DNA sequence: TCGTTTCCTGACCGTATGGTCAAGGGAAAG
DNA sequence: CTTTCCCTTGACCATACGGTCAGGAAACGA
């Protein structure tokens, strides 16, 4: 009954394929939504037979769940830059930088997260209620400490966090709109830098941190 | 061959039903996405036989297109408050107010717009390239004028507009997340007012308008 | 080499979906 | 009243989808 240990080679191949499938799935789910995505599309993108997907992931929901969980962990991990900061300029500035980088490097993940939340978070509701709520409470307390120390104006920390999320994720979630308004061309390095700086400056000035 | 004029009574009934269908469709499309929505769900919500939907809207795409176009026009119309303003405090302040109101009153429309843009705007790409681009260019020029008049700090007007869109629409698109982090309860009147004020204050201070 | 476990996949199945249609109901026009 | 046209709808169809499975290939351990 005990699960037999897999050989290293087997394990490696398994992990490679799982990763390949997850990458293809992230893209397809982000582009089409859960309902619009099909296992066949994901299989084609990963260049695998559809049945092979079902060998690694029992159902479409399972696959979707794994993709969303992956994204969530990347985000949580990237948010650690805010801790250990001496004040809002350093902490919030670094957080904005990190989130803008993610928006640029992983737009599909950001879109998928937006898609999931927009539809009532059917899959990751428990994460919202536990991990994300704890994280938010902790950072809100940190911001409140900065306020008490006179390092920034008194604001509602939750709403400030929403502003950070909204402004940074916008460049991923609405990237197509931004690109269209940019003459159909993706933002250049310079434009990304400008966007990042303007978001940071505006918010940090807005909360009286600079 | 000419379209025969319809009687007033017929026209009225027709319009009522079309509106009913559009409302049901907006909700279902927003909740499930285009792929996840089904004509049967929309029909059930509108309390009509499915075949009746196809009498008024030939295909699912047609219905979706009409819904998205409706939303777009509401948005454009609401944006007029920005014109005729004497400066950024009045103009941008009123625009934020208007957009926050829309986020609260029409979250489904906002979500559907987000959904459409996130998926590459397959239906309203031409609107983005014409109407929205023109609108954006005009408001960017307005903001630039305010900058030239020394009424606010020099910022990139486009990125400022993105910040306005992002922060206000966040309360609709990510309303479920906001609600979950609010203890599972929707924002109260007081909290909405607080959110609106904080967004306005932070941005207007951030751009040096106050 | 041989038996065992893991992995792979073409063919298949039940279901649900978008869309069609023909027949009927009912208001307006004559 | 009769005719015409718009509207309504239950029944139906073809397709595409998620998921299954049996049988074979490949890798592993002894």
């Amino acid at each position: 009954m005990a699960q037999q240990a897999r050989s290293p080679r087997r394990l490696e191949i398994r992990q490679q394929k799982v990763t390949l499938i997850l990458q293809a799935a992230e893209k397809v789910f982000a582009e089409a939504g859960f309902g619009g995505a099909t296992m066949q599309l994901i299989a084609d993108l990963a260049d695998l037979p559809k049945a092979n997907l079902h060998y690694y992931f029992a159902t479409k929901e399972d696959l979707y769940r794994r993709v969303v969980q992956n994204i969530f962990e990347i985000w949580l991990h990237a948010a650690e830059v805010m801790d250990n900061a001496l004040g809002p300029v350093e902490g919030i500035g670094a957080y904005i930088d990190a989130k803008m980088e993610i928006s640029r490097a992983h737009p599909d993940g950001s879109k998928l997260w937006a898609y999931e939340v927009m539809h009532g978070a059917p899959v990751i509701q428990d994460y919202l209620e536990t991990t994300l709520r704890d994280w938010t409470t902790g950072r809100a307390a940190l911001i409140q400490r900065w306020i008490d120390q006179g390092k920034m104006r008194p604001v509602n920390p939750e709403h400030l966090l929403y502003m950070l999320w909204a402004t940074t994720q916008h460049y991923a979630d609405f990237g197509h709109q931004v690109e269209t308004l940019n003459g159909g061309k993706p933002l250049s390095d310079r434009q990304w830098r400008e966007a990042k700086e303007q978001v940071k400056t505006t918010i940090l000035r807005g909360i009286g941190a600079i």
Side-chain angles (χ1 to χ4, degrees), chain A:
Chain A
M1 281 300 131
Q3 174 82 11
Q4 172 146 354
R6 262 185 266 261
S7 76
R9 167 143 180 69
R10 283 257 161 99
L11 249 174
E12 190 189 349
I13 290 179
R14 192 182 184 83
Q15 217 158 13
Q16 276 183 359
K17 269 207 170 162
V18 166
T19 303
L20 180 70
I21 294 170
L22 286 174
Q23 282 175 348
E26 177 175 316
K27 187 167 183 187
V28 173
F29 280 133
E31 280 175 0
F34 179 81
T38 71
M39 294 300 268
Q40 190 62 60
L41 269 173
I42 298 170
D44 289 349
L45 188 61
D47 201 29
L48 291 174
K50 193 184 67 165
N52 205 349
L53 262 66
H54 279 101
Y55 177 74
Y56 287 101
F57 300 93
T59 68
K60 191 182 174 186
E61 273 93 351
D62 281 349
L63 179 53
Y64 179 77
R65 190 184 307 266
R66 279 286 304 274
V67 172
V68 174
Q69 285 177 353
N70 269 13
I71 292 161
F72 184 67
E73 296 191 4
I74 289 178
W75 279 28
L76 266 194
H77 185 70
E80 292 167 2
V81 295
M82 210 168 155
D83 309 328
N84 307 323
L86 294 176
V89 177
E90 187 191 340
I92 293 175
Y95 186 49
I96 291 174
D97 278 338
K99 290 227 63 188
M100 288 292 277
E101 293 299 333
I102 294 179
S103 280
R104 190 175 192 186
H106 302 289
D108 287 337
S110 183
K111 285 179 192 171
L112 196 46
W113 178 266
Y115 178 89
E116 167 71 5
V117 171
M118 265 170 44
H119 293 39
V123 165
I124 41 86
Q125 180 63 24
D126 52 334
Y127 277 76
L128 293 189
E129 291 175 359
T130 56
T131 318
L132 184 62
R133 188 180 288 176
D134 292 347
W135 184 91
T136 306
T137 306
R139 308 312 135 132
L142 177 61
I143 292 171
Q144 189 58 52
R145 230 173 296 139
W146 289 336
I147 294 172
D148 294 341
Q149 294 169 355
K151 291 177 175 169
M152 52 180 282
R153 290 171 54 85
V155 300
N156 181 307
E158 272 87 12
H159 290 303
L160 174 55
L161 286 173
Y162 300 157
M163 285 190 75
L164 298 178
W165 295 344
T167 47
T168 54
Q169 289 166 216
H170 184 86
Y171 286 91
D173 302 343
F174 290 79
H176 179 80
Q177 184 171 291
V178 170
E179 188 173 321
T180 299
L181 294 176
N182 191 43
K185 283 181 289 239
L187 295 188
S188 65
D189 287 356
R190 199 184 139 283
Q191 286 174 312
W192 270 98
R193 226 178 304 127
E194 191 180 9
K196 201 195 289 183
E197 285 309 313
Q198 180 161 327
V199 169
K200 273 198 290 189
T201 307
T202 305
I203 289 186
L204 289 175
R205 281 185 62 91
I207 61 174
I210 53 177

